[in-house]
């Protein structure tokens, strides 16, 4: 460890592992350490014993839940957009060969007290019970406009400049009612709040296209895919990439302390009395608590169940979005469910998550409307964690700190943060122009 | 994981063992027929595949090398995941590397799939020649030590359900043999794991026809 590195990465969360991989592939000399004796940091997946240790102290899990090692319970539950940026990064780095995926069965939205399948195309819009007869036709024309929209072909723009026209104005043109706007904005365009209505419509149109194209890619019931054995596989796969390109890995390194010189620039990291020198440090917020600020908190419930989420056509993996307005909240609530079909639980068991950006300090009451949709549970755990963002100036101290994982249901914001950090660190842009239209998947 | 169909078996094989025991050298010899005396620690390629024909089946090994993550005991659990076979490598001239090999066997017994085929490879067997030569010209302590270790390894393998071979990546002795023996021992019918898809940057048609997976 007593050596000089180009970059020392602290924490093996997904963001840090992707960066470690990209930097090692670039030929930089990387040392990657974690205070824990497992990979993944906040974005790890826990087995039953680890889960109990974290939430139940000295209690032991009940025998009827099955074997501990059959469980891989995500600590940051998210799904991957089939055509999203994480898939592009996986293909770009060839990390896909270490992983197996399965499509997620269903994508649902909560509307007026009921769960409905999210319509992704004009044809599905026509069939959806979410809208009345006339509204369906209006929604259908809007879906067709979005499907046909091509940024580079003004003929498809319908005479509107979507970099200037707001989403609200675009929607008004199609005469959609608030109810329709609610599920389009939150369950298809996946906005977290209603600010998008006042912003240029291009972003929303692009998000709707990403959703529809992702659904079409695997002909599944959702735009999402999810790795077998849980999300904890992702950081491990990128860590392997980094190691293959020469990155050095040290887990179980307590008290990693970042050292600075007189000018306040990083000069190394000390752990267990040894100092490794480096030019730059990349880390999650927990390693440099003095250079981050709290920006919010996430409330979360984790349930072990013996049945799928009711009213989701027995989906063994599913996402349900509860738009803020439907609950009288400021931020959306999300339900996820995964099961033995993705190898995250023993046969017959399901893992469900309810999560939201917390607006109170009482996750149990705050998450109730989501938990009520789960039906009976075998076990349930509640958690609340703070979200941090860096406040330092990386050009002054050479510290590159990732933001905490947000409550969103997919990895788009995660990867955006990673790609921005990569550019800050190297001055380069990751070329993600992999040919997704021809990219495909092979059944094993 | 090993999947079967038309007697084509795909199986993930992992290598474990002390730094410098010769894990990468064994793979390079098996896959490429090469040997490099002063092999740098593994960089850039830690994923090989090689197909072997045994009597009743074609076995395609997907071979995972540790990529150096074993150095500070930081091997990721995904490494063991779904492995149908493992070769635990030690250096026959190094007692400490044999002790480490035993630790890896324990690790596999706790983390790996219970039906895994495990091979114990006493590598650098070219030193056996040194052993014989020296034995004829009066045994030295070193030679005694080599012979003792060989017996100890044999016994350990027997007691723990491994099969044991002394290999040399340098002379190629027993290298093909050890992979061949694993291929013969792989269960022909594996319990069906839920299968997933591997994302590829290739058109669907080509993937379907060139699919290695059955």
């Amino acid at each position: 460890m007593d050596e000089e590195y180009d970059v020392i990465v602290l924490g093996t969360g997904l963001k840090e592992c992707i960066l470690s991989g990209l930097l090692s592939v670039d030929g930089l000399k990387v040392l990657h350490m974690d205070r824990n004796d497992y990979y993944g940091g906040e974005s790890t997946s826990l087995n039953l014993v680890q889960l109990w240790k974290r939430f139940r102290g000295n209690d032991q899990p009940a025998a009827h839940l099955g074997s501990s090692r059959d469980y891989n319970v995500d600590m940051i539950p998210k799904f991957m957009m089939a055509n999203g940026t994480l898939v592009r990064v996986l293909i770009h780095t060839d990390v896909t060969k270490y992983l197996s995926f399965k499509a997620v069965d269903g994508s649902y939205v909560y509307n007026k007290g009921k769960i409905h399948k999210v319509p992704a195309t004009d044809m599905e819009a026509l069939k959806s019970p979410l809208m009345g007869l006339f509204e369906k036709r209006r929604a259908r024309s809007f879906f067709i406009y979005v499907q046909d929209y091509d940024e580079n072909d003004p003929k498809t723009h319908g005479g509107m400049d979507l970099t200037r026209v707001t989403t609200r104005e675009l929607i008004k043109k199609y005469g959609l009612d608030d109810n329709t706007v609610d599920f389009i904005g939150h369950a298809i365009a996946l906005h977290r709040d209603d600010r998008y209505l006042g912003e240029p419509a291009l972003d929303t149109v692009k998000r709707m296209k990403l959703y529809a194209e992702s659904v079409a890619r695997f002909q599944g019931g959702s735009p999402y895919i999810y790795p077998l054995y849980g999300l904890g596989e992702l950081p491990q796969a990128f860590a392997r990439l980094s190691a293959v390109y020469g990155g050095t890995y040290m887990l179980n390194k307590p008290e990693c302390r970042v050292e600075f010189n007189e000018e306040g620039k990083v000069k190394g990291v000390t752990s267990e009395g040894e100092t490794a020198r480096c030019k730059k440090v990349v880390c999650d917020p927990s390693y440099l608590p003095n250079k981050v600020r709290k920006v919010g908190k996430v409330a979360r419930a984790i349930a072990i169940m013996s049945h799928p989420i009711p009213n989701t056509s027995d989906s063994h993996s599913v996402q349900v979005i509860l738009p803020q307005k439907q609950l009288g909240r400021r931020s959306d609530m999300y339900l996820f469910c995964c099961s033995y079909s993705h190898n995250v639980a023993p046969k017959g068991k399901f893992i469900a998550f309810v999560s939201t950006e917390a607006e109170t300090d009482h996750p149990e009451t705050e998450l109730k409307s989501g938990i009520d949709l789960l039906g009976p549970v075998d076990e349930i755990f509640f958690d609340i964690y703070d979200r941090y963002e860096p406040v330092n100036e990386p050009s002054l101290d050479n510290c590159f700190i990732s933001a905490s994982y947000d409550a969103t249901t997919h990895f788009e914001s995660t990867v955006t943060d990673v790609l921005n950090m990569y550019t800050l660190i190297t001055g380069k842009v990751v070329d993600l122009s992999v040919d997704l239209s021809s990219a495909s998947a092979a059944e094993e | 994981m090993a999947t079967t169909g038309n007697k084509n078996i795909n199986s993930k094989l992992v290598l474990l063992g002390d730094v410098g025991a010769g894990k990468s050298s064994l793979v390079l010899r098996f896959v490429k027929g090469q040997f490099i005396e002063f092999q740098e620690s593994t960089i850039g390629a830690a994923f090989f595949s090689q197909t072997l024909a045994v009597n009743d089946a074609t076995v395609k090994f997907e071979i995972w090398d540790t990529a150096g993550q074993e150095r500070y005991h930081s091997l990721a659990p995904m490494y063991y995941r779904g492995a149908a076979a493992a070769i635990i490598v030690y250096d026959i001239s190094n007692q400490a590397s044999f002790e480490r090999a035993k630790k890896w066997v324990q690790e596999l017994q706790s983390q790996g799939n219970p039906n895994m085929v495990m091979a114990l490879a006493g590598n650098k067997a070219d030193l056996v020649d040194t052993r014989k030569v020296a034995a004829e010209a009066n045994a030295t302590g070193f030679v005694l030590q080599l012979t003792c270790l060989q017996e100890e390894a044999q016994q350990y393998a027997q007691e723990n359900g491994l099969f044991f071979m002394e290999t040399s990546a340098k002379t190629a002795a027993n290298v093909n043999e050890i992979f061949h023996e694993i291929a013969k021992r792989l269960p022909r019918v594996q319990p069906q794991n839920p299968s997933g898809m591997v994302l590829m940057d290739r058109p669907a048609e080509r993937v379907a026809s060139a699919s290695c997976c059955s």
Side-chain angles (χ1 to χ4, degrees):
Chain A
M1 152 162 199
D2 191 16
E3 279 184 61
E4 172 138 16
Y5 296 86
D6 293 314
V7 182
I8 295 181
V9 185
L10 301 174
T12 53
L14 177 61
K15 291 183 182 183
E16 287 70 35
C17 286
I18 298 176
L19 284 167
S20 180
L22 291 172
L23 296 172
S24 288
V25 170
D26 277 353
L28 295 178
K29 188 173 172 188
V30 175
L31 171 63
H32 200 159
M33 299 195 283
D34 195 305
R35 64 168 78 86
N36 299 312
D37 61 0
Y38 54 84
Y39 280 90
E42 294 299 314
S43 53
T44 191
S45 304
L46 301 181
N47 65 30
L48 214 51
V49 169
Q50 292 169 319
L51 192 67
W52 249 254
K53 194 174 155 197
R54 178 173 297 197
F55 292 106
R56 293 277 161 87
N58 292 327
D59 283 3
Q60 293 297 314
H64 69 85
L65 293 174
S67 157
S68 171
R69 54 185 272 183
D70 288 341
Y71 284 86
N72 295 289
V73 182
D74 297 337
M75 290 296 98
I76 305 287
K78 286 181 189 294
F79 287 143
M80 296 165 59
M81 276 288 201
N83 263 16
T85 44
L86 183 55
V87 169
R88 287 173 186 272
V89 172
L90 283 163
I91 291 173
H92 170 76
T93 54
D94 208 16
V95 161
T96 50
K97 67 184 172 213
Y98 302 136
L99 301 162
S100 285
F101 295 90
K102 260 190 179 177
V104 170
D105 292 343
S107 170
Y108 288 77
V109 62
Y110 179 81
N111 191 277
K112 296 179 185 156
K114 280 191 173 159
I115 292 177
H116 299 277
K117 190 168 175 11
V118 177
T121 63
D122 57 316
M123 293 313 288
E124 287 182 3
L126 274 183
K127 286 187 244 157
S128 175
L130 276 164
M131 297 166 283
L133 187 61
F134 295 106
E135 182 68 3
K136 276 180 189 175
R137 299 206 175 138
R138 290 188 287 267
R140 179 166 181 256
S141 353
F142 180 59
F143 275 104
I144 290 175
Y145 171 78
V146 171
Q147 276 159 36
D148 291 345
Y149 183 88
D150 175 353
E151 212 178 341
N152 301 315
D153 182 0
K155 284 202 293 282
T156 66
H157 295 186
M160 284 175 287
D161 177 359
L162 294 194
T163 60
R164 299 179 49 186
V165 171
T166 65
T167 315
R168 186 178 283 111
E169 288 163 342
L170 175 65
I171 284 167
K172 200 172 165 200
K173 194 184 164 214
Y174 287 88
L176 303 179
D177 69 34
D178 284 353
N179 192 43
T180 309
V181 172
D182 204 36
F183 81 75
I184 288 180
H186 291 263
I188 299 177
L190 301 170
H191 290 292
R192 282 175 269 178
D193 52 45
D194 276 347
R195 273 179 299 188
Y196 73 97
L197 289 168
E199 287 166 1
L202 182 61
D203 178 46
T204 296
V205 167
K206 279 186 172 171
R207 285 162 168 258
M208 289 180 69
K209 289 177 84 73
L210 173 63
Y211 186 98
E213 286 160 12
S214 293
V215 173
R217 179 139 176 230
F218 296 121
Q219 285 94 41
S222 84
Y224 303 111
I225 58 172
Y226 181 86
L228 294 186
Y229 303 106
L231 296 177
E233 299 293 283
L234 294 169
Q236 292 180 47
F238 282 103
R240 182 167 168 79
L241 171 73
S242 178
V244 165
Y245 281 88
T248 302
Y249 275 80
M250 294 184 183
L251 298 183
N252 211 4
K253 295 295 279 183
E255 292 154 18
C256 292
R257 191 176 71 244
V258 182
E259 309 278 0
F260 296 89
N261 65 15
E262 316 77 56
E263 295 166 43
K265 283 192 194 298
V266 158
K267 63 172 186 184
V269 174
T270 302
S271 172
E272 298 178 299
E274 282 183 300
T275 302
R277 283 161 294 137
C278 65
K279 301 183 187 83
K280 289 171 183 170
V281 160
V282 174
C283 66
D284 74 43
S286 70
Y287 288 87
L288 281 172
N290 297 330
K291 290 183 184 279
V292 296
R293 69 181 170 104
K294 186 176 157 184
V295 287
K297 56 192 180 202
V298 175
R300 184 176 50 170
I302 302 167
I304 300 175
M305 319 196 292
S306 301
H307 59 83
I309 294 179
N311 307 310
T312 59
S313 313
D314 279 344
S315 294
H316 280 43
S317 52
V318 69
Q319 172 186 289
V320 184
I321 290 185
L322 293 76
Q324 43 166 28
K325 260 196 216 152
Q326 302 288 330
L327 305 174
R329 294 172 48 80
R330 291 193 301 278
S331 41
D332 293 354
M333 191 175 295
Y334 308 108
L335 253 63
F336 300 80
C337 182
C338 269
S339 67
Y340 57 97
S341 74
H342 277 94
N343 294 9
V344 297
K347 186 104 186 139
K349 294 293 180 193
F350 294 76
I351 312 286
F353 302 88
V354 185
S355 68
T356 187
E357 181 68 26
E359 294 169 9
T360 70
D361 288 318
H362 311 288
E364 289 184 43
T365 37
E366 191 164 354
L367 296 169
K368 187 170 183 304
S369 32
I371 291 166
D372 286 347
L373 299 174
L374 300 180
V377 298
D378 298 347
E379 293 285 344
I380 190 160
F381 308 89
F382 290 94
D383 188 26
I384 196 155
Y385 69 87
D386 293 332
R387 289 193 303 112
Y388 296 93
E389 271 176 14
V391 290
N392 66 318
E393 177 47 65
S395 62
L396 298 179
D397 59 12
N398 289 332
C399 295
F400 303 83
I401 309 170
S402 62
S404 306
Y405 299 89
D406 57 35
T408 54
T409 60
H410 52 80
F411 287 102
E412 299 308 298
S413 57
T414 304
V415 178
T416 303
D417 189 24
V418 167
L419 297 178
N420 289 338
M421 287 175 73
Y422 176 82
T423 300
L424 275 177
I425 297 164
T426 63
K428 295 192 288 186
V429 176
V430 185
D431 176 15
L432 288 182
S433 56
V434 293
D435 187 3
L436 274 183
S437 62
S438 71
S440 190
E443 286 290 331
E444 236 174 40
Chain B
M1 63 201 74
T3 48
T4 53
N6 301 326
K7 297 192 177 173
N8 284 324
I9 302 172
N10 278 297
S11 85
K12 175 175 169 180
L13 182 150
V14 298
L15 284 141
L16 289 165
D18 217 0
V19 175
K23 300 182 291 294
S24 303
S25 298
L26 272 184
V27 180
L28 274 179
R29 172 58 83 182
F30 173 59
V31 175
K32 297 189 171 168
Q34 291 174 347
F35 178 76
I36 300 161
E37 185 86 36
F38 299 103
Q39 173 78 29
E40 289 270 333
S41 284
T42 329
I43 285 191
F47 189 83
F48 299 92
S49 68
Q50 180 78 313
T51 305
L52 266 188
V54 287
N55 305 336
D56 60 334
T58 307
V59 176
K60 185 183 176 198
F61 284 118
E62 282 161 16
I63 304 168
W64 290 45
D65 201 347
T66 54
Q69 281 181 313
E70 82 285 17
R71 187 179 293 266
Y72 301 103
H73 321 295
S74 302
L75 207 52
M78 84 172 324
Y79 190 70
Y80 308 104
R81 186 101 68 207
I87 303 180
I88 300 99
V89 186
Y90 71 94
D91 170 351
I92 63 158
S93 66
N94 183 335
Q95 178 79 33
S97 86
F98 177 65
E99 299 305 323
R100 287 287 308 147
K102 290 201 265 187
K103 288 273 188 320
W104 285 116
V105 173
Q106 282 170 13
E107 185 79 13
L108 278 174
Q109 284 164 343
S110 71
Q111 296 241 28
N113 123 45
N115 304 318
M116 191 185 289
V117 177
M118 290 196 278
L120 180 64
N123 195 35
K124 309 197 183 178
D126 42 288
L127 295 171
V128 170
D129 301 332
T130 330
R131 181 165 63 195
K132 279 181 190 149
V133 171
E136 283 158 18
N138 284 333
T140 64
F142 177 64
V143 169
L144 268 175
Q145 185 198 322
L146 286 185
T147 315
C148 285
L149 186 52
Q150 185 185 35
E151 283 165 11
E152 196 184 339
Q154 220 144 28
Q155 195 187 344
Y156 176 81
Q158 229 161 39
E159 286 166 1
N160 287 274
L162 290 78
F163 76 89
F164 171 65
M165 277 189 189
E166 286 195 340
T167 56
S168 167
K170 188 172 180 177
T171 66
N174 273 346
V175 174
N176 286 339
E177 287 77 359
I178 199 166
F179 284 93
H180 205 84
E181 186 60 33
I182 291 170
K184 282 202 291 191
R185 288 175 185 236
L186 283 173
R188 292 298 180 256
V189 183
Q190 286 274 318
Q192 276 300 301
N193 284 316
S195 62
M197 57 200 180
V198 180
L199 299 171
M200 290 182 193
D201 189 11
R202 263 177 257 157
E205 304 76 49
R206 264 177 54 199
V207 167
S209 61
S211 175
C212 53
C213 321
S214 43

